[in-house]
Amino acid sequence: MIGIDWGSSGFRAYRLSDDGSIRERRTATSGIASLTPTDYAAVLQQQIGDWLRDDPAAVVLLSGMVGSRQGWREAAYAECPAGMAELTTQLCPVELGDNRLAHIVPGLSCRNADGTPDVMRGEETQIFGLDLPAQATLCMPGTHSKHVQMRDGRITGFATAMTGEVFALLKSHGLIAAMLAPADSKPEDLDMAAFETGLGLSGQPGGLLHHIFSVRTRRLFNELSAGAAAHYLSGILIGHELRATAWAGKVVIVGTGGLAMRYRKAFAFLGIDTDVAPEDAAATGLYRLGQLAARRMP
Amino acid sequence: MIGIDWGSSGFRAYRLSDDGSIRERRTATSGIASLTPTDYAAVLQQQIGDWLRDDPAAVVLLSGMVGSRQGWREAAYAECPAGMAELTTQLCPVELGDNRLAHIVPGLSCRNADGTPDVMRGEETQIFGLDLPAQATLCMPGTHSKHVQMRDGRITGFATAMTGEVFALLKSHGLIAAMLAPADSKPEDLDMAAFETGLGLSGQPGGLLHHIFSVRTRRLFNELSAGAAAHYLSGILIGHELRATAWAGKVVIVGTGGLAMRYRKAFAFLGIDTDVAPEDAAATGLYRLGQLAARRMP
C-alpha cells in the first residue's frame, strides 16, 4: 500500500510492504497551504506516479490537513472516544484519475473540559502507529501542540495549545522580535540555562501575558543576552503550556529532533517522567489503518 | 508652561496656564517610532514653534517613549517606590536650540513579585495627574497594560501585561487572523455576549495557549460568528490578564473611550468595582511635575 502524511507545510509519502515496513519514502514541500483542490491529483502523480503505476491495486491512504476544509476534500471529524474502527468507517474518497480512488483518514474532534470543541488532523494517524500501554498520556509538540488521553487503544480526549504559533508570532513581529538574536532559536542548539529560567518563571505569579514582557525588560537591563532570549521565551511558553495540564503518570512525547528534546527537558524540569516515541509513527499508522480498511473495502 | 506627551505612535502637546488649565492642545502622528534623534527639535519647532516664541521662558516638559533608548535621548528610570520628587530630580535635558532646554521626565522601574524587572514611560506622568486616595490600585489598559500600586502619592510597584500587543498579533497573522471579520474589533462596538463568553473561558482550566485555539474550533463548528470572534478573543485575553493579578479594593481604570469601557465591563464580570479616571491626566501630570521642577531649576 501507499501512505501519505500531507500537512499544511509538507508532503511525506511512504511505499509500504505487506508487513508494514517502509520500502521507499519521498518528501516534498508541497504542503496544502500552497495548493488548491484541483492541484492534488497532479501533485500526487508527479511525486509518486511511478509507485501508482507499479501497483495498480494498491490501497492509497492520506492523512493530515489534506482532509481539512482548506485541503483536497473535507473529511469528517470522528468524535472521541475513537479508535481505528471509527476512523476507517468514515474514510473520505478522492479521485486519482482512471476511476482509481484514494482515501483520506478523518480527523478527530472532542469537547474539552472548558466546554470548547477541539480538533486534530494527522496526529490521530501517528498515534495509531504507536504501541502504547492500555492507558497512556501523549504530548505531541508542534505549531499546535496536542495533549492526548488514550485508553484501550482509543483516543478518549485531547486539547490543543498554540504554543509554537505564538512563539513564531512573537519572534517575527512586534516588541519582542527586536530583542531576539535572529538565529538563536534552533531547537537543537538549546541554551539550557535560559530555557530553565523561562520554565521557572512560568510557575511564578503574573500570568503569561505579563511574563513574556520580561524578555524586553531583562534585555533592557542586560540580564539576558540576545542569544539566550529566544530560549528564555521558549521556556516561558512551553512552561505555561505544560503547567496548564494535569499530567498523570509517564508521558509519551510524540515528535522528533530538537523540539521533542526540548519538551522532554521541560517535563523533566517539572518532575514528570517521559518516553519519546519512535519516528515514522505516521507510516505505521497509515499501514495499520490501510490494513483495516482493506478488509472493509469491496 | 508647555507639556508634551510623546509616545511610540503619537505626539500630544498642551499649552498650560499658570493654574494648570489647558489653553491649547495639538496632536500629531509624529510618534517616536518614525523619528531619529536629530528629528525631535525640528518636529517640536514645526508643531509648537509659535508657543515657544510666544513664551521664551516657559518650562517645556516631555514624557513618554521620547525618553527611551529609541527616543530623543535616554532618560533614567527612577526606581520604585517613587513619587513626583524622585522624577523631578532626574529630569533629562535636551536642546531645543538657542541654548534653550526642554526636560524629559524619567521612566519608572521596579522588580516584580516573579523576580523580573518591569518598566514604564509616560504612565507615571498620567498617574501624577490624578487625584487618588492614599492607597490605590490602577489598571492602565493599552498595547502594554500596566497594573499599578499607589500609596501616599508614590508608586510602590507595577506589572505590565502584553495583552494589546498579543491581540494585535493574533488578529493580523497566523491561524486565527483568518477566522476574524476584518472590521469587528473596534472597542466601541462591543459584542457583549461574545466578550463575556471569552471572559468566562479565561477562568476555565486549560490555559491561555489552549483557550485561544477555541477561536478556530468554535468558528469551525459554527458556534461563533466571524463578527463576534474578535470580541470573544478579546474577552479571553483580557480575562487572562485580569485574573493573573490579585486585585484588592476598587480599581481605577486610567484610559479613554472604548478600551477603558471594555476593561470596566471585564472587571464588573469578575465582580471587581472600578472608577474610570478623567481624561487629560497626562496634561495635569506634566503641569504638576513642571511646577515642582520649576522650583528646583536655577
Side-chain angles (χ1 to χ4, degrees), chain B residues 89-110:
Chain B
T89 51
Q90 298 180 60
L91 293 176
C92 172
V94 285
E95 294 273 354
L96 291 182
D98 294 331
N99 290 321
R100 189 174 181 172
L101 296 179
H103 290 85
I104 304 177
V105 177
L108 275 193
S109 69
C110 70

mmCIF file of all heavy atoms in Angstrom, chain B residues 89-110:
data_model
loop_
_atom_site.group_PDB
_atom_site.id
_atom_site.type_symbol
_atom_site.label_atom_id
_atom_site.label_comp_id
_atom_site.label_asym_id
_atom_site.label_seq_id
_atom_site.Cartn_x
_atom_site.Cartn_y
_atom_site.Cartn_z
ATOM 1 N N THR B 89 13.903 65.117 40.244
ATOM 2 C CA THR B 89 15.349 65.222 40.500
ATOM 3 C C THR B 89 16.151 64.482 39.436
ATOM 4 O O THR B 89 17.371 64.547 39.450
ATOM 5 C CB THR B 89 15.709 64.641 41.877
ATOM 6 O OG1 THR B 89 15.149 63.340 41.981
ATOM 7 C CG2 THR B 89 15.179 65.531 42.987
ATOM 8 N N GLN B 90 15.485 63.786 38.524
ATOM 9 C CA GLN B 90 16.224 63.028 37.500
ATOM 10 C C GLN B 90 15.806 63.433 36.094
ATOM 11 O O GLN B 90 15.878 62.622 35.170
ATOM 12 C CB GLN B 90 16.020 61.523 37.701
ATOM 13 C CG GLN B 90 16.555 61.012 39.035
ATOM 14 C CD GLN B 90 16.341 59.518 39.213
ATOM 15 O OE1 GLN B 90 16.819 58.708 38.432
ATOM 16 N NE2 GLN B 90 15.610 59.161 40.250
ATOM 17 N N LEU B 91 15.376 64.668 35.919
ATOM 18 C CA LEU B 91 14.956 65.128 34.588
ATOM 19 C C LEU B 91 16.144 65.095 33.629
ATOM 20 O O LEU B 91 17.282 65.364 34.013
ATOM 21 C CB LEU B 91 14.398 66.553 34.679
ATOM 22 C CG LEU B 91 13.092 66.713 35.447
ATOM 23 C CD1 LEU B 91 12.714 68.190 35.539
ATOM 24 C CD2 LEU B 91 11.963 65.910 34.799
ATOM 25 N N CYS B 92 15.854 64.775 32.392
ATOM 26 C CA CYS B 92 16.904 64.612 31.377
ATOM 27 C C CYS B 92 16.807 65.772 30.378
ATOM 28 O O CYS B 92 15.814 65.882 29.652
ATOM 29 C CB CYS B 92 16.699 63.270 30.692
ATOM 30 S SG CYS B 92 17.732 62.992 29.273
ATOM 31 N N PRO B 93 17.833 66.668 30.322
ATOM 32 C CA PRO B 93 17.733 67.836 29.444
ATOM 33 C C PRO B 93 17.989 67.491 27.978
ATOM 34 O O PRO B 93 18.801 66.615 27.667
ATOM 35 C CB PRO B 93 18.832 68.755 29.974
ATOM 36 C CG PRO B 93 19.833 67.822 30.592
ATOM 37 C CD PRO B 93 19.082 66.622 31.087
ATOM 38 N N VAL B 94 17.278 68.165 27.096
ATOM 39 C CA VAL B 94 17.540 68.087 25.647
ATOM 40 C C VAL B 94 17.531 69.511 25.083
ATOM 41 O O VAL B 94 16.842 70.398 25.607
ATOM 42 C CB VAL B 94 16.486 67.224 24.894
ATOM 43 C CG1 VAL B 94 16.713 65.748 25.152
ATOM 44 C CG2 VAL B 94 15.062 67.622 25.270
ATOM 45 N N GLU B 95 18.314 69.750 24.030
ATOM 46 C CA GLU B 95 18.492 71.085 23.438
ATOM 47 C C GLU B 95 17.365 71.399 22.461
ATOM 48 O O GLU B 95 17.114 70.636 21.529
ATOM 49 C CB GLU B 95 19.811 71.119 22.640
ATOM 50 C CG GLU B 95 21.060 70.965 23.464
ATOM 51 C CD GLU B 95 21.539 72.320 24.008
ATOM 52 O OE1 GLU B 95 20.937 73.354 23.633
ATOM 53 O OE2 GLU B 95 22.497 72.316 24.806
ATOM 54 N N LEU B 96 16.707 72.538 22.685
ATOM 55 C CA LEU B 96 15.693 72.998 21.721
ATOM 56 C C LEU B 96 16.297 73.945 20.667
ATOM 57 O O LEU B 96 15.626 74.317 19.713
ATOM 58 C CB LEU B 96 14.575 73.752 22.449
ATOM 59 C CG LEU B 96 13.665 72.931 23.336
ATOM 60 C CD1 LEU B 96 12.591 73.808 23.937
ATOM 61 C CD2 LEU B 96 13.042 71.796 22.529
ATOM 62 N N GLY B 97 17.564 74.365 20.850
ATOM 63 C CA GLY B 97 18.195 75.396 20.018
ATOM 64 C C GLY B 97 18.268 76.695 20.794
ATOM 65 O O GLY B 97 17.516 76.886 21.770
ATOM 66 N N ASP B 98 19.196 77.613 20.378
ATOM 67 C CA ASP B 98 19.390 78.893 21.085
ATOM 68 C C ASP B 98 19.643 78.692 22.579
ATOM 69 O O ASP B 98 19.188 79.488 23.411
ATOM 70 C CB ASP B 98 18.143 79.820 20.930
ATOM 71 C CG ASP B 98 17.964 80.252 19.485
ATOM 72 O OD1 ASP B 98 18.976 80.346 18.768
ATOM 73 O OD2 ASP B 98 16.801 80.460 19.090
ATOM 74 N N ASN B 99 20.344 77.609 22.918
ATOM 75 C CA ASN B 99 20.659 77.292 24.320
ATOM 76 C C ASN B 99 19.428 77.050 25.193
ATOM 77 O O ASN B 99 19.534 77.008 26.412
ATOM 78 C CB ASN B 99 21.500 78.399 24.964
ATOM 79 C CG ASN B 99 22.897 78.399 24.385
ATOM 80 O OD1 ASN B 99 23.458 77.327 24.135
ATOM 81 N ND2 ASN B 99 23.435 79.578 24.137
ATOM 82 N N ARG B 100 18.288 76.926 24.568
ATOM 83 C CA ARG B 100 17.085 76.655 25.351
ATOM 84 C C ARG B 100 16.954 75.151 25.581
ATOM 85 O O ARG B 100 17.197 74.352 24.669
ATOM 86 C CB ARG B 100 15.875 77.178 24.586
ATOM 87 C CG ARG B 100 14.610 77.136 25.403
ATOM 88 C CD ARG B 100 13.475 77.801 24.659
ATOM 89 N NE ARG B 100 12.266 77.785 25.455
ATOM 90 C CZ ARG B 100 11.171 78.418 25.127
ATOM 91 N NH1 ARG B 100 11.122 79.146 24.004
ATOM 92 N NH2 ARG B 100 10.107 78.360 25.897
ATOM 93 N N LEU B 101 16.558 74.765 26.782
ATOM 94 C CA LEU B 101 16.435 73.348 27.113
ATOM 95 C C LEU B 101 14.968 72.946 27.320
ATOM 96 O O LEU B 101 14.169 73.755 27.787
ATOM 97 C CB LEU B 101 17.187 73.025 28.410
ATOM 98 C CG LEU B 101 18.711 73.191 28.426
ATOM 99 C CD1 LEU B 101 19.256 72.832 29.803
ATOM 100 C CD2 LEU B 101 19.376 72.307 27.357
ATOM 101 N N ALA B 102 14.682 71.727 26.960
ATOM 102 C CA ALA B 102 13.461 71.073 27.443
ATOM 103 C C ALA B 102 13.920 69.940 28.360
ATOM 104 O O ALA B 102 15.113 69.591 28.383
ATOM 105 C CB ALA B 102 12.651 70.532 26.281
ATOM 106 N N HIS B 103 13.004 69.353 29.111
ATOM 107 C CA HIS B 103 13.384 68.267 30.024
ATOM 108 C C HIS B 103 12.460 67.069 29.858
ATOM 109 O O HIS B 103 11.244 67.230 29.773
ATOM 110 C CB HIS B 103 13.344 68.757 31.477
ATOM 111 C CG HIS B 103 14.441 69.725 31.795
ATOM 112 N ND1 HIS B 103 14.331 71.083 31.550
ATOM 113 C CD2 HIS B 103 15.693 69.522 32.292
ATOM 114 C CE1 HIS B 103 15.456 71.690 31.893
ATOM 115 N NE2 HIS B 103 16.301 70.764 32.351
ATOM 116 N N ILE B 104 13.081 65.896 29.810
ATOM 117 C CA ILE B 104 12.299 64.658 29.696
ATOM 118 C C ILE B 104 12.120 64.052 31.085
ATOM 119 O O ILE B 104 13.094 63.921 31.846
ATOM 120 C CB ILE B 104 13.001 63.637 28.776
ATOM 121 C CG1 ILE B 104 13.259 64.253 27.386
ATOM 122 C CG2 ILE B 104 12.170 62.365 28.662
ATOM 123 C CD1 ILE B 104 14.013 63.326 26.439
ATOM 124 N N VAL B 105 10.880 63.695 31.408
ATOM 125 C CA VAL B 105 10.568 63.030 32.679
ATOM 126 C C VAL B 105 11.127 61.610 32.630
ATOM 127 O O VAL B 105 10.940 60.905 31.636
ATOM 128 C CB VAL B 105 9.034 62.988 32.897
ATOM 129 C CG1 VAL B 105 8.678 62.234 34.164
ATOM 130 C CG2 VAL B 105 8.457 64.402 32.906
ATOM 131 N N PRO B 106 11.821 61.156 33.668
ATOM 132 C CA PRO B 106 12.322 59.775 33.653
ATOM 133 C C PRO B 106 11.185 58.763 33.651
ATOM 134 O O PRO B 106 10.058 59.092 34.035
ATOM 135 C CB PRO B 106 13.140 59.674 34.945
ATOM 136 C CG PRO B 106 12.720 60.808 35.792
ATOM 137 C CD PRO B 106 12.183 61.875 34.892
ATOM 138 N N GLY B 107 11.478 57.555 33.220
ATOM 139 C CA GLY B 107 10.532 56.450 33.375
ATOM 140 C C GLY B 107 10.636 55.887 34.779
ATOM 141 O O GLY B 107 11.340 56.416 35.632
ATOM 142 N N LEU B 108 9.917 54.812 35.005
ATOM 143 C CA LEU B 108 9.967 54.135 36.300
ATOM 144 C C LEU B 108 10.343 52.679 36.098
ATOM 145 O O LEU B 108 9.946 52.055 35.106
ATOM 146 C CB LEU B 108 8.595 54.158 36.979
ATOM 147 C CG LEU B 108 8.188 55.360 37.813
ATOM 148 C CD1 LEU B 108 6.941 54.975 38.613
ATOM 149 C CD2 LEU B 108 9.295 55.770 38.762
ATOM 150 N N SER B 109 11.096 52.131 37.050
ATOM 151 C CA SER B 109 11.348 50.691 37.038
ATOM 152 C C SER B 109 11.021 50.116 38.406
ATOM 153 O O SER B 109 10.970 50.830 39.413
ATOM 154 C CB SER B 109 12.805 50.396 36.675
ATOM 155 O OG SER B 109 13.665 50.817 37.706
ATOM 156 N N CYS B 110 10.765 48.804 38.408
ATOM 157 C CA CYS B 110 10.541 48.106 39.675
ATOM 158 C C CYS B 110 10.944 46.656 39.479
ATOM 159 O O CYS B 110 11.289 46.239 38.373
ATOM 160 C CB CYS B 110 9.073 48.205 40.106
ATOM 161 S SG CYS B 110 7.948 47.253 39.076
#
